[in-house]
Amino acid sequence: MITDFIRTVSTWAIPFFLVAVPIYGVFRKVKVYESFVEGAKGGIQTAVRIIPYLVAMLVAVGMLRAAGAIDMMANALAPVLGLLRFPVEILPLAIMRPLSGSGSMGIVTELISAHGPDSFIGRLAASAYGSTETTFYVLAVYFGAVGIRKTRHAVVAGLTADLVSLAAAVIVCRLAFL
Amino acid sequence: MLNYIWLAMVILAIVLGGINGKIEAVTTAAIDAAAGAVTIAIGLIGVMALWLGLVKIMEDSGLMALVARALNPVMKRLFPDVPAGHPAMSSMTMNIAANMLGLNNAATPLGLKAMEDLEKLNKIPGVATNAMCTFLTINTGSVQLIPATMIGVMASAGSKDPTAIIGTTLAAGCAALIAGITTARLLEKLPVFAAKREAEKEAQ
């Protein structure tokens, strides 16, 4: 019920927005076409401004992945985390998630097909993937758009959130699916 | 911070790539990623323009101020440095709403617009403000009411109950959001992360 409602809202949100905003604008005597074009101009500058930041970040992440670093880190951490009864199958996903969206999507899909979509690991992987974003990508794009080079505490706060989402996913999935 | 992390990533990649005998793959990946970054950025121009155009209509018609005022009680606690009714409040609100509904195509342009609005309040160019860090932390987490992408993956893998993950994903996302915001608000007070210190280091 609630799920269907939220789905409907998601489906209609953008079309509603596309028509409601100009109608409200006309109602408030705004020259909507002229306003739109004026605002849209900014799109090009913003997109171009993030290029150097995005290149720096994606190159470093791409190199790490190609070097096989993700699996090596997972293998190094597995014995320690295994002692804590952490499901080590999802370790490569946990390491990849903040670094690369497409990379972690590939790992989730693999985990789901290897363990089955209704298995504990499959559901845990899906929950862990969905409960956080690609932190380093967001960092590069958002700060890049306004030329921020000194990121202060953002990296630590973002990675803390990633760790907590992983731990929470493990705990909640244990409670829900085991 | 990012200086060290970035350097560590590159060094680690070269050293491990050498050990694993994958150094050629590392080179290819670096070149491909550089080209791919431009493709991503250029691909953003269209949606960026679309949303910035709509937001401009919202600004000119006073709708942005209306959104900012409606959610001010919540937003002013999260972002005490941003004045009530500032455009940043409305663009941040819309970005968060788009994220919750899983509308990625809208969320990124609105988020970047929010960063530009926040930058107008920034006294030290090039150094992140407290509000920017909190806002960024909210965006590095994900509180999606319906994790549509993952439900799709589960369904196509033949799951009997692909929506079983909605609750667990939402719970983990909320935990991360609370932890992230708390961490950001605590760390912003630490002298190590002070904006002035970063600016002085820059000046030297």
Side-chain angles (χ1 to χ4, degrees):
Chain A
M1 246 303 274
I2 298 173
T3 311
D4 288 337
F5 173 72
I6 298 170
R7 256 183 237 244
T8 314
V9 172
S10 296
T11 313
W12 280 93
I14 290 179
F16 172 79
F17 208 79
L18 288 177
V19 69
V21 168
I23 289 177
Y24 184 81
V26 168
F27 176 68
R28 294 300 298 267
K29 304 211 162 45
V30 172
K31 291 179 178 128
V32 285
Y33 182 75
E34 287 169 34
S35 263
F36 181 92
V37 178
E38 185 59 34
K41 267 188 213 161
I44 302 163
Q45 296 152 18
T46 311
V48 171
R49 221 178 299 142
I50 63 174
I51 290 178
Y53 298 84
L54 210 51
V55 169
M57 193 57 77
L58 295 190
V59 164
V61 170
M63 287 169 69
L64 263 186
R65 284 179 59 189
I70 310 287
D71 284 332
M72 282 184 92
M73 283 191 252
N75 289 339
L77 284 170
V80 187
L81 287 168
L83 289 175
L84 298 168
R85 297 205 309 132
F86 181 88
V88 291
E89 294 91 333
I90 68 155
L91 255 182
L93 171 66
I95 298 169
M96 184 72 91
R97 190 70 192 91
L99 296 171
S100 162
S102 58
S104 43
M105 181 54 128
I107 300 182
V108 178
T109 318
E110 263 173 46
L111 282 171
I112 290 174
S113 67
H115 294 264
D118 297 323
S119 66
F120 172 70
I121 293 294
R123 284 175 168 172
L124 171 60
S127 307
Y129 176 94
S131 58
T132 175
E133 270 295 327
T134 314
T135 299
F136 282 99
Y137 174 80
V138 173
L139 211 67
V141 171
Y142 278 50
F143 278 149
V146 287
I148 298 288
R149 293 174 306 275
K150 301 288 177 189
T151 56
R152 294 178 56 213
H153 53 289
V155 181
V156 181
L159 290 178
T160 306
D162 290 340
L163 267 181
V164 171
S165 92
L166 177 67
V170 172
I171 294 168
V172 177
C173 286
R174 276 230 171 96
L175 292 173
F177 304 130
L178 277 186
Chain B
M1 188 85 186
L2 268 183
N3 283 322
Y4 301 113
I5 295 180
W6 190 75
L7 184 68
M9 284 163 92
V10 175
I11 294 176
L12 205 63
I14 300 292
V15 172
L16 295 183
I19 296 173
N20 290 341
K22 287 181 176 171
I23 203 69
E24 278 165 23
V26 173
T27 312
T28 317
I31 309 290
D32 289 352
V38 178
T39 314
I40 293 176
I42 299 297
L44 209 60
I45 293 179
V47 260
M48 236 3 255
L50 170 63
W51 285 100
L52 289 179
L54 282 169
V55 166
K56 180 75 175 140
I57 298 179
M58 288 181 74
E59 280 174 350
D60 292 350
S61 61
L63 207 53
M64 287 291 270
L66 223 62
V67 174
R69 231 174 294 145
L71 281 133
N72 194 45
V74 187
M75 297 295 278
K76 79 175 177 205
R77 292 223 168 77
L78 284 175
F79 306 100
D81 305 338
V82 181
H86 193 273
M89 287 297 202
S90 6
S91 41
M92 287 194 291
T93 306
M94 289 196 291
N95 159 271
I96 294 168
N99 271 323
M100 289 180 76
L101 292 173
L103 309 171
N104 291 330
N105 280 333
T108 307
L110 290 169
L112 297 187
K113 165 78 175 132
M115 289 301 281
E116 283 167 12
D117 291 336
L118 287 174
E119 176 67 10
K120 288 175 195 145
L121 296 167
N122 191 1
K123 293 191 186 78
I124 317 170
V127 181
T129 62
N130 289 344
M132 284 178 184
C133 291
T134 307
F135 178 62
L136 201 106
T137 310
I138 294 174
N139 266 281
T140 60
S142 167
V143 177
Q144 253 188 75
L145 300 176
I146 308 273
T149 314
M150 267 306 120
I151 294 176
V153 172
M154 293 297 249
S156 69
S159 168
K160 289 197 184 71
D161 187 7
T163 53
I165 55 159
I166 292 179
T168 50
T169 306
L170 191 59
C174 288
L177 181 73
I178 294 166
I181 293 174
T182 314
T183 315
R185 295 300 302 279
L186 287 176
L187 291 180
E188 71 185 27
K189 297 185 182 78
L190 290 187
V192 206
F193 292 118
K196 272 207 181 112
R197 207 182 111 116
E198 293 283 8
E200 277 157 16
K201 267 198 293 186
E202 182 92 321
Q204 276 166 15

mmCIF file of all heavy atoms in Angstrom, chain A residues 153 157 160-161 164, chain B residues 78 134 137-138 174-189:
data_model
loop_
_atom_site.group_PDB
_atom_site.id
_atom_site.type_symbol
_atom_site.label_atom_id
_atom_site.label_comp_id
_atom_site.label_asym_id
_atom_site.label_seq_id
_atom_site.Cartn_x
_atom_site.Cartn_y
_atom_site.Cartn_z
ATOM 1 N N HIS A 153 36.290 18.627 7.142
ATOM 2 C CA HIS A 153 35.907 17.362 7.773
ATOM 3 C C HIS A 153 34.960 16.523 6.906
ATOM 4 O O HIS A 153 34.481 15.486 7.352
ATOM 5 C CB HIS A 153 35.273 17.620 9.132
ATOM 6 C CG HIS A 153 34.136 18.609 9.071
ATOM 7 N ND1 HIS A 153 34.331 19.949 8.837
ATOM 8 C CD2 HIS A 153 32.811 18.445 9.203
ATOM 9 C CE1 HIS A 153 33.170 20.577 8.840
ATOM 10 N NE2 HIS A 153 32.232 19.686 9.047
ATOM 11 N N ALA A 157 33.508 12.694 7.796
ATOM 12 C CA ALA A 157 32.078 12.555 8.085
ATOM 13 C C ALA A 157 31.414 11.610 7.078
ATOM 14 O O ALA A 157 30.632 10.734 7.461
ATOM 15 C CB ALA A 157 31.402 13.921 8.059
ATOM 16 N N THR A 160 32.513 8.036 7.774
ATOM 17 C CA THR A 160 31.867 7.552 9.000
ATOM 18 C C THR A 160 30.453 7.080 8.687
ATOM 19 O O THR A 160 30.024 6.000 9.117
ATOM 20 C CB THR A 160 31.811 8.668 10.069
ATOM 21 O OG1 THR A 160 33.121 9.176 10.263
ATOM 22 C CG2 THR A 160 31.261 8.144 11.389
ATOM 23 N N ALA A 161 29.739 7.889 7.906
ATOM 24 C CA ALA A 161 28.380 7.512 7.513
ATOM 25 C C ALA A 161 28.391 6.192 6.742
ATOM 26 O O ALA A 161 27.520 5.333 6.941
ATOM 27 C CB ALA A 161 27.745 8.622 6.687
ATOM 28 N N VAL A 164 28.935 3.316 9.217
ATOM 29 C CA VAL A 164 27.731 3.089 10.016
ATOM 30 C C VAL A 164 26.651 2.419 9.172
ATOM 31 O O VAL A 164 25.964 1.504 9.648
ATOM 32 C CB VAL A 164 27.218 4.417 10.626
ATOM 33 C CG1 VAL A 164 25.857 4.228 11.267
ATOM 34 C CG2 VAL A 164 28.213 4.948 11.641
ATOM 35 N N LEU B 78 19.715 22.080 11.005
ATOM 36 C CA LEU B 78 20.800 21.409 10.289
ATOM 37 C C LEU B 78 21.843 22.405 9.799
ATOM 38 O O LEU B 78 23.029 22.110 9.777
ATOM 39 C CB LEU B 78 20.243 20.640 9.085
ATOM 40 C CG LEU B 78 19.525 19.334 9.378
ATOM 41 C CD1 LEU B 78 18.942 18.769 8.086
ATOM 42 C CD2 LEU B 78 20.485 18.329 9.983
ATOM 43 N N THR B 134 28.080 19.591 5.945
ATOM 44 C CA THR B 134 26.885 18.884 6.417
ATOM 45 C C THR B 134 26.035 18.447 5.225
ATOM 46 O O THR B 134 25.582 17.305 5.153
ATOM 47 C CB THR B 134 26.043 19.798 7.338
ATOM 48 O OG1 THR B 134 26.887 20.312 8.367
ATOM 49 C CG2 THR B 134 24.888 19.042 7.954
ATOM 50 N N THR B 137 27.605 15.554 3.434
ATOM 51 C CA THR B 137 27.465 14.306 4.177
ATOM 52 C C THR B 137 26.071 13.714 3.965
ATOM 53 O O THR B 137 25.919 12.502 3.812
ATOM 54 C CB THR B 137 27.713 14.548 5.681
ATOM 55 O OG1 THR B 137 28.935 15.270 5.824
ATOM 56 C CG2 THR B 137 27.808 13.239 6.431
ATOM 57 N N ILE B 138 25.053 14.586 3.937
ATOM 58 C CA ILE B 138 23.699 14.104 3.683
ATOM 59 C C ILE B 138 23.634 13.435 2.303
ATOM 60 O O ILE B 138 22.994 12.404 2.123
ATOM 61 C CB ILE B 138 22.685 15.268 3.774
ATOM 62 C CG1 ILE B 138 22.638 15.795 5.207
ATOM 63 C CG2 ILE B 138 21.300 14.837 3.299
ATOM 64 C CD1 ILE B 138 21.781 17.021 5.395
ATOM 65 N N CYS B 174 18.990 5.452 7.263
ATOM 66 C CA CYS B 174 18.676 6.424 8.326
ATOM 67 C C CYS B 174 19.773 6.440 9.386
ATOM 68 O O CYS B 174 20.187 7.505 9.855
ATOM 69 C CB CYS B 174 17.328 6.112 8.978
ATOM 70 S SG CYS B 174 15.937 6.502 7.910
ATOM 71 N N ALA B 175 20.251 5.236 9.755
ATOM 72 C CA ALA B 175 21.334 5.147 10.744
ATOM 73 C C ALA B 175 22.548 5.918 10.240
ATOM 74 O O ALA B 175 23.174 6.693 10.975
ATOM 75 C CB ALA B 175 21.684 3.687 11.002
ATOM 76 N N ALA B 176 22.874 5.727 8.952
ATOM 77 C CA ALA B 176 24.035 6.395 8.370
ATOM 78 C C ALA B 176 23.832 7.902 8.328
ATOM 79 O O ALA B 176 24.760 8.671 8.589
ATOM 80 C CB ALA B 176 24.292 5.857 6.963
ATOM 81 N N LEU B 177 22.614 8.326 8.013
ATOM 82 C CA LEU B 177 22.316 9.756 7.930
ATOM 83 C C LEU B 177 22.524 10.426 9.283
ATOM 84 O O LEU B 177 23.194 11.459 9.395
ATOM 85 C CB LEU B 177 20.878 9.963 7.462
ATOM 86 C CG LEU B 177 20.436 11.413 7.317
ATOM 87 C CD1 LEU B 177 21.077 12.043 6.096
ATOM 88 C CD2 LEU B 177 18.927 11.531 7.247
ATOM 89 N N ILE B 178 21.966 9.801 10.327
ATOM 90 C CA ILE B 178 22.082 10.375 11.668
ATOM 91 C C ILE B 178 23.555 10.415 12.088
ATOM 92 O O ILE B 178 24.055 11.429 12.574
ATOM 93 C CB ILE B 178 21.238 9.564 12.680
ATOM 94 C CG1 ILE B 178 19.753 9.722 12.328
ATOM 95 C CG2 ILE B 178 21.507 10.022 14.105
ATOM 96 C CD1 ILE B 178 18.838 8.733 13.015
ATOM 97 N N ALA B 179 24.268 9.293 11.847
ATOM 98 C CA ALA B 179 25.693 9.238 12.201
ATOM 99 C C ALA B 179 26.485 10.285 11.434
ATOM 100 O O ALA B 179 27.342 10.972 12.002
ATOM 101 C CB ALA B 179 26.243 7.845 11.919
ATOM 102 N N GLY B 180 26.182 10.428 10.139
ATOM 103 C CA GLY B 180 26.912 11.381 9.300
ATOM 104 C C GLY B 180 26.711 12.813 9.751
ATOM 105 O O GLY B 180 27.677 13.571 9.913
ATOM 106 N N ILE B 181 25.439 13.187 9.977
ATOM 107 C CA ILE B 181 25.151 14.564 10.393
ATOM 108 C C ILE B 181 25.785 14.854 11.749
ATOM 109 O O ILE B 181 26.421 15.889 11.945
ATOM 110 C CB ILE B 181 23.626 14.819 10.433
ATOM 111 C CG1 ILE B 181 23.062 14.763 9.014
ATOM 112 C CG2 ILE B 181 23.323 16.168 11.074
ATOM 113 C CD1 ILE B 181 21.554 14.857 8.943
ATOM 114 N N THR B 182 25.655 13.894 12.681
ATOM 115 C CA THR B 182 26.246 14.087 14.010
ATOM 116 C C THR B 182 27.755 14.275 13.901
ATOM 117 O O THR B 182 28.324 15.198 14.487
ATOM 118 C CB THR B 182 25.952 12.865 14.916
ATOM 119 O OG1 THR B 182 24.570 12.534 14.780
ATOM 120 C CG2 THR B 182 26.258 13.156 16.355
ATOM 121 N N THR B 183 28.409 13.381 13.125
ATOM 122 C CA THR B 183 29.861 13.490 12.961
ATOM 123 C C THR B 183 30.236 14.843 12.370
ATOM 124 O O THR B 183 31.157 15.511 12.843
ATOM 125 C CB THR B 183 30.392 12.379 12.030
ATOM 126 O OG1 THR B 183 29.786 11.148 12.404
ATOM 127 C CG2 THR B 183 31.882 12.243 12.136
ATOM 128 N N ALA B 184 29.522 15.246 11.313
ATOM 129 C CA ALA B 184 29.845 16.512 10.649
ATOM 130 C C ALA B 184 29.711 17.685 11.620
ATOM 131 O O ALA B 184 30.582 18.557 11.677
ATOM 132 C CB ALA B 184 28.937 16.709 9.431
ATOM 133 N N ARG B 185 28.630 17.683 12.393
ATOM 134 C CA ARG B 185 28.396 18.808 13.294
ATOM 135 C C ARG B 185 29.394 18.827 14.458
ATOM 136 O O ARG B 185 29.723 19.886 14.975
ATOM 137 C CB ARG B 185 26.966 18.778 13.835
ATOM 138 C CG ARG B 185 25.887 18.978 12.761
ATOM 139 C CD ARG B 185 26.032 20.306 12.048
ATOM 140 N NE ARG B 185 25.977 21.446 12.948
ATOM 141 C CZ ARG B 185 24.847 21.969 13.418
ATOM 142 N NH1 ARG B 185 23.691 21.480 13.039
ATOM 143 N NH2 ARG B 185 24.886 22.983 14.225
ATOM 144 N N LEU B 186 29.885 17.642 14.856
ATOM 145 C CA LEU B 186 30.887 17.599 15.925
ATOM 146 C C LEU B 186 32.260 18.015 15.399
ATOM 147 O O LEU B 186 32.961 18.811 16.022
ATOM 148 C CB LEU B 186 30.960 16.191 16.530
ATOM 149 C CG LEU B 186 29.786 15.768 17.414
ATOM 150 C CD1 LEU B 186 29.959 14.313 17.851
ATOM 151 C CD2 LEU B 186 29.673 16.670 18.643
ATOM 152 N N LEU B 187 32.627 17.471 14.234
ATOM 153 C CA LEU B 187 33.969 17.716 13.709
ATOM 154 C C LEU B 187 34.191 19.165 13.291
ATOM 155 O O LEU B 187 35.310 19.665 13.337
ATOM 156 C CB LEU B 187 34.247 16.794 12.510
ATOM 157 C CG LEU B 187 34.392 15.308 12.804
ATOM 158 C CD1 LEU B 187 34.656 14.545 11.519
ATOM 159 C CD2 LEU B 187 35.521 15.054 13.797
ATOM 160 N N GLU B 188 33.095 19.845 12.881
ATOM 161 C CA GLU B 188 33.264 21.221 12.393
ATOM 162 C C GLU B 188 33.803 22.143 13.483
ATOM 163 O O GLU B 188 34.369 23.190 13.197
ATOM 164 C CB GLU B 188 31.940 21.764 11.836
ATOM 165 C CG GLU B 188 30.893 22.059 12.901
ATOM 166 C CD GLU B 188 29.538 22.471 12.306
ATOM 167 O OE1 GLU B 188 29.228 22.062 11.177
ATOM 168 O OE2 GLU B 188 28.815 23.208 12.990
ATOM 169 N N LYS B 189 33.642 21.720 14.746
ATOM 170 C CA LYS B 189 34.098 22.551 15.864
ATOM 171 C C LYS B 189 35.576 22.312 16.196
ATOM 172 O O LYS B 189 36.177 23.088 16.927
ATOM 173 C CB LYS B 189 33.242 22.260 17.107
ATOM 174 C CG LYS B 189 31.790 22.618 16.894
ATOM 175 C CD LYS B 189 30.976 22.442 18.164
ATOM 176 C CE LYS B 189 29.518 22.756 17.951
ATOM 177 N NZ LYS B 189 28.780 21.667 17.277
#
